[in-house]
Amino acid sequence: MKETIGFIGLGIMGGGMARNLLKAGFEVHVWNRTASRMAPIVDAGAQAAANAAAAASHADLIILCVSKTEDVEEVLFKENGVVQDAKPGSLIIDTSTISPQATISIEARLRKAGLRMLDAPISGGSEGAADGTLSIMVGGDETDVTRAMGALEAMASRITHVGGTGAGQMVKLVNQILVAGNMMAISEALIFAQKGGLDLRKTLEAVKHGAAGSWMLSNRGTQAIVRNFEPGFTIDLQQKDLRLVLETADALGIPLPMISQIFQLYRSLQEQGLGGEGNHALVMALENLAGIQINTIGE
Amino acid sequence: MKETIGFIGLGIMGGGMARNLLKAGFEVHVWNRTASRMAPIVDAGAQAAANAAAAASHADLIILCVSKTEDVEEVLFKENGVVQDAKPGSLIIDTSTISPQATISIEARLRKAGLRMLDAPISGGSEGAADGTLSIMVGGDETDVTRAMGALEAMASRITHVGGTGAGQMVKLVNQILVAGNMMAISEALIFAQKGGLDLRKTLEAVKHGAAGSWMLSNRGTQAIVRNFEPGFTIDLQQKDLRLVLETADALGIPLPMISQIFQLYRSLQEQGLGGEGNHALVMALENLAGIQINTIGE
């Protein structure tokens, strides 16, 4: 018999994930701050709850998919929050990307309240959420990971238990350092190629299968050279995550020269009103510095 | 009937390439500044020449595989250089990574002397040179590329004609921007993960198949976390190429903030006597900044 699930946060990611839980045969009670987002998921078979506490009240597993650290604290601990009505021993699975340090204190607070928690941030974009092919990086106790596995497998194709509480969030931040850094490399490469008079399409074709290759180059690089900056992941969300990286690095006492610089460049794009563009629009910050625009040549 | 080939420069790359030409049935006349390097290639069937001019004198195609711009100029134009004895209309294929601007003037000088030239820098490392699986990025005229194709195919599995004279060198520099930038992202990610107490092996496993993935992460990242800094490509050679990137960017009038920074970090490792380590030892520059060492945990 499958667990009953409370699902809180039906944004572009959460919506797809809740649908996949329904498809897999789970009973799902949903709640979203903007109520209109619940309707299509209810049509797909979910029960609408009046608030986070109500969504949690029938559930064995309570999945959170919200944006920021404050949002997680709010849906858990404020009035009509999860803690108010959750059954003793319920397991909270937080798929949001939030502060690793805050995650540790949130988990301790929940434990005192008789509840369990895993941090389980996701990557793989809206396509991954819709298709059930997300990657999930899980931090917490082995027994809780085992307990969550059925639900996690309904939403993701790659689930890695990376360590104790907070480790999932830390690995997600490692992921974001790599994504942003690879995009920075691509941005400098494209500006250099453009000013050097190269055909950008042929250039990517020549380098992407070798030692220079990356997921970002094959996917976002090829989008960038046709000036398609439609977001897989927006600059605003990328900045939220890089802010967590820099705050965490500061707390840990380590310098991150490259990520600091990238943060400043994304900041300049946000100030230009480009925060809703895809994170590969980082190349536009380099275009601004260089005073040129990239584009395909010879087509 | 296959062309006769003059091959100049039998270093770790050139040696493997010359062997593959012999295997494919070409007659190959070789010359190397350090004469002892010729012996094993002669054993494999090549003819030893007394100097570059002599290696070129019987050849239709003359392949150069040396280190620096000055080396290319020397073997072509100085006493006993290629130009002295090459047959009119011979095609020079320069597989060295050298300055794109210098390539344009060298090609013009050769054309005046009645010779043809392609810039054809390679990537894929010593394994690729040995296995014949290099990538070659070719700049020059279509007719010359067609003429060179038999020889190129004996040495490489991916040959991309990317544009006119110098374009091959420019694309190679684009490749190096991406390689160095991706390694910088990996270095910051590993330092962050280490100080955050993560298991580095599990961390790479969790992120390398998704949007954070790259050739450098899968290959050099996994080497770095076990502190194996054996070179696929040395820091000294990487620096030579990044110097070309920065000189070319300066000539073109474009800022490259990330690559400038990486150049300085590699410089600090060279001053520590680490220029012979692999380019993934960039992580050691971050270790110096952060005052910690990465290593695997929990094994």
Side-chain angles (χ1 to χ4, degrees):
Chain A
M1 164 97 189
K2 300 217 180 219
E3 297 91 343
T4 299
I5 292 177
F7 200 106
I8 294 165
L10 299 169
I12 192 160
M13 301 298 290
M17 292 154 72
R19 280 172 194 277
N20 281 319
L21 289 165
L22 290 165
K23 270 186 215 155
F26 288 94
E27 180 180 326
V28 185
H29 296 253
V30 298
W31 181 72
N32 192 68
R33 192 157 45 185
T34 308
S36 59
R37 288 239 174 108
M38 288 193 277
I41 313 296
V42 169
D43 287 348
Q47 316 287 316
N51 51 45
S57 62
H58 306 287
D60 309 297
L61 305 176
I62 301 153
I63 301 176
L64 311 185
C65 189
V66 297
S67 287
K68 299 190 301 293
T69 305
E70 299 73 42
D71 300 332
V72 170
E73 289 169 338
E74 185 172 333
V75 298
L76 288 175
F77 301 116
K78 290 234 171 121
E79 204 190 335
N80 297 322
V82 166
V83 168
Q84 185 179 297
D85 287 344
K87 293 190 287 186
S90 300
L91 173 59
I92 290 146
I93 304 169
D94 179 21
T95 68
S96 327
T97 297
I98 68 165
S99 158
Q101 301 97 308
T103 292
I104 289 169
S105 31
I106 291 168
E107 192 274 340
R109 246 177 112 177
L110 289 171
R111 195 156 18 91
K112 274 189 200 147
L115 301 170
R116 313 286 310 166
M117 179 187 176
L118 294 172
D119 48 303
I122 52 183
S123 84
S126 51
E127 307 93 320
D131 304 346
T133 58
L134 293 172
S135 288
I136 308 195
M137 299 142 233
V138 190
D141 288 350
E142 186 70 46
T143 49
D144 292 325
V145 177
T146 306
R147 190 174 160 197
M149 200 49 86
L152 296 177
E153 283 174 347
M155 303 185 288
S157 56
R158 180 171 296 272
I159 299 149
T160 316
H161 182 204
V162 290
T165 298
Q169 296 296 351
M170 279 297 295
V171 172
K172 177 67 189 285
L173 296 185
V174 166
N175 189 81
Q176 302 305 65
I177 291 171
L178 291 164
V179 164
N182 290 356
M183 194 59 227
M184 183 69 183
I186 294 164
S187 300
E188 293 203 357
L190 289 178
I191 293 289
F192 183 86
Q194 176 70 31
K195 196 68 183 275
L198 294 175
D199 179 318
L200 299 185
R201 195 177 49 74
K202 283 187 190 166
T203 300
L204 290 199
E205 205 46 55
V207 302
K208 76 183 184 190
H209 302 283
S214 65
W215 189 97
M216 288 297 282
L217 185 64
S218 293
N219 292 274
R220 301 300 172 233
T222 47
Q223 259 183 275
I225 63 171
V226 295
R227 302 198 75 74
N228 169 3
F229 294 114
E230 211 174 296
F233 189 61
T234 66
I235 287 175
D236 285 340
L237 283 171
Q238 176 80 84
Q239 270 306 73
K240 182 205 71 151
D241 290 357
L242 292 185
R243 193 173 286 114
L244 288 175
V245 167
L246 290 172
E247 286 171 2
T248 305
D250 191 26
L252 292 171
I254 50 168
L256 295 178
M258 179 200 66
I259 289 295
S260 305
Q261 193 172 52
I262 296 171
F263 183 83
Q264 299 300 329
L265 292 171
Y266 274 128
R267 201 80 194 83
S268 72
L269 295 177
Q270 288 181 306
E271 289 308 303
Q272 274 186 269
L274 298 170
E277 301 288 330
N279 58 350
H280 54 302
L282 179 59
V283 71
M284 290 173 129
L286 272 291
E287 289 182 333
N288 291 339
L289 286 179
I292 60 165
Q293 272 209 349
I294 63 156
N295 215 325
T296 43
I297 302 170
E299 291 196 272
Chain B
M1 161 100 191
K2 298 215 182 222
E3 297 91 344
T4 300
I5 291 177
F7 201 106
I8 294 164
L10 299 169
I12 192 161
M13 301 297 289
M17 292 154 72
R19 280 172 195 279
N20 281 319
L21 290 164
L22 288 166
K23 270 187 216 154
F26 288 95
E27 181 181 325
V28 184
H29 296 254
V30 298
W31 181 71
N32 191 68
R33 192 156 45 185
T34 307
S36 59
R37 288 240 175 109
M38 287 193 277
I41 314 296
V42 168
D43 289 346
Q47 317 286 315
N51 51 46
S57 63
H58 306 287
D60 309 298
L61 304 176
I62 300 153
I63 301 176
L64 311 184
C65 189
V66 297
S67 285
K68 300 190 299 295
T69 305
E70 300 72 42
D71 300 333
V72 171
E73 289 169 339
E74 185 172 332
V75 299
L76 288 176
F77 301 118
K78 290 234 172 122
E79 204 189 335
N80 296 323
V82 166
V83 167
Q84 186 178 295
D85 287 342
K87 293 189 288 185
S90 300
L91 174 59
I92 290 145
I93 304 168
D94 179 22
T95 67
S96 328
T97 298
I98 68 165
S99 157
Q101 301 98 308
T103 293
I104 289 169
S105 30
I106 290 168
E107 192 273 340
R109 247 178 112 177
L110 289 171
R111 194 156 17 91
K112 275 189 197 146
L115 301 170
R116 313 286 311 165
M117 178 186 176
L118 293 172
D119 48 301
I122 52 185
S123 83
S126 52
E127 306 94 319
D131 305 345
T133 57
L134 294 172
S135 288
I136 307 195
M137 302 141 228
V138 191
D141 287 351
E142 185 72 44
T143 50
D144 293 325
V145 176
T146 306
R147 194 175 155 195
M149 200 50 87
L152 296 177
E153 283 174 349
M155 304 184 289
S157 57
R158 180 172 296 272
I159 298 149
T160 317
H161 183 204
V162 291
T165 298
Q169 296 296 352
M170 280 296 296
V171 171
K172 178 66 188 288
L173 296 184
V174 166
N175 189 82
Q176 301 305 67
I177 292 171
L178 291 163
V179 164
N182 290 356
M183 194 58 227
M184 181 70 184
I186 293 165
S187 300
E188 293 203 357
L190 289 178
I191 293 289
F192 182 86
Q194 176 70 32
K195 195 69 184 273
L198 294 176
D199 178 319
L200 299 186
R201 196 177 49 75
K202 281 188 191 166
T203 300
L204 290 199
E205 208 43 58
V207 302
K208 75 181 184 188
H209 302 283
S214 65
W215 187 97
M216 287 298 282
L217 186 65
S218 293
N219 291 274
R220 302 300 172 232
T222 47
Q223 260 182 273
I225 62 171
V226 294
R227 303 198 75 72
N228 170 3
F229 294 116
E230 210 173 296
F233 189 60
T234 65
I235 287 176
D236 286 340
L237 283 171
Q238 176 83 85
Q239 270 306 71
K240 183 204 71 145
D241 291 358
L242 293 185
R243 195 174 284 115
L244 288 175
V245 167
L246 290 172
E247 285 171 3
T248 305
D250 190 26
L252 292 171
I254 50 170
L256 294 178
M258 178 201 65
I259 290 294
S260 306
Q261 193 171 54
I262 295 170
F263 183 83
Q264 300 300 330
L265 293 171
Y266 274 128
R267 200 83 194 80
S268 72
L269 296 177
Q270 288 181 307
E271 290 307 305
Q272 273 186 270
L274 299 171
E277 301 289 330
N279 59 350
H280 54 302
L282 180 60
V283 72
M284 289 172 124
L286 273 290
E287 289 182 334
N288 291 340
L289 285 180
I292 59 165
Q293 273 209 349
I294 63 157
N295 216 325
T296 43
I297 303 170
E299 289 195 273

